[in-house]
Amino acid sequence: MENEKPTRPQSDVPDVVDSNPINLEYDTKHAKRGIAVIFNQVNFKNLEKRNGSDKDCDSIHKTLIHLGFDVRVHKDSKQSEIKNELTTIANEDHSNNDCFMLVIMTHGEENTLHASDKIFEQNLLWENFIGANCPTLIGKPKLFFIQACRGRSFDGGV
């Protein structure tokens, strides 16, 4: 009994027996955390002002700086400005970055978001960062956070 090896508890998760297992962790040992871009849409051409959004933006900005991100904040961007900024960032070299993050705070509808001047499809946010469009981010996490209503129902908050 003294020489018996302890047995592992039974698990529903199968042992990995493949000679080429999938790596379930990202490499986060690059020189930089990465770029975090924040689009804070407060004022709109044809919609009501988003009161309180600046406070949220400041809190997110401080947190991301603390986490080591290169944070770029844009306020009340037009749709063309958002598109141009995302294209510029996607064309940068992310080889030394752990990841990419985007935060947008705005008004929204089902599958669409509002720039300060007009509405746009939400896939505009990530289409520049998929696969060959941004090769230095392949295999790295790309995090997208959308703070927006998705319809006309009122949420009383808490």
Side-chain angles (χ1 to χ4, degrees), residues 45-135:
K45 184 176 178 182
N46 297 316
L47 296 169
E48 65 186 61
K49 181 177 181 177
R50 293 184 67 250
N51 293 315
S53 191
D54 285 331
K55 185 175 186 316
D56 291 344
C57 184
D58 290 343
S59 296
I60 293 167
H61 182 216
K62 287 176 188 172
T63 300
L64 293 176
I65 290 287
H66 177 74
L67 292 171
F69 281 93
D70 168 11
V71 182
R72 303 171 188 182
V73 178
H74 302 275
K75 184 172 178 180
D76 296 338
S77 301
K78 295 179 180 179
Q79 185 266 348
S80 61
E81 294 169 334
I82 293 171
K83 186 173 183 172
N84 290 339
E85 179 64 9
L86 295 177
T87 299
T88 299
I89 293 170
N91 288 325
E92 292 182 30
D93 184 0
H94 300 270
S95 299
N96 292 319
N97 296 347
D98 290 338
C99 64
F100 168 75
M101 181 183 291
L102 181 142
V103 177
I104 186 164
M105 300 176 292
T106 187
H107 288 300
E109 309 281 333
E110 189 69 32
N111 298 318
T112 59
L113 299 169
H114 290 268
S116 64
D117 61 341
K118 60 184 170 182
I119 198 167
F120 65 92
E121 297 288 326
Q122 65 187 16
N123 63 346
L124 170 77
L125 300 176
W126 51 79
E127 62 190 9
N128 287 316
F129 301 97
I130 297 173
N133 294 341
C134 188

Side-chain angles (χ1 to χ4, degrees), residues 21 33 37 41-42 44 47-48 68 96 104 107 109 138 142:
R33 176 69 64 214
V37 61
Q41 303 297 100
V42 178
F44 301 85
L47 296 169
E48 65 186 61
N96 292 319
I104 186 164
H107 288 300
E109 309 281 333
I138 291 175
K142 293 159 277 295

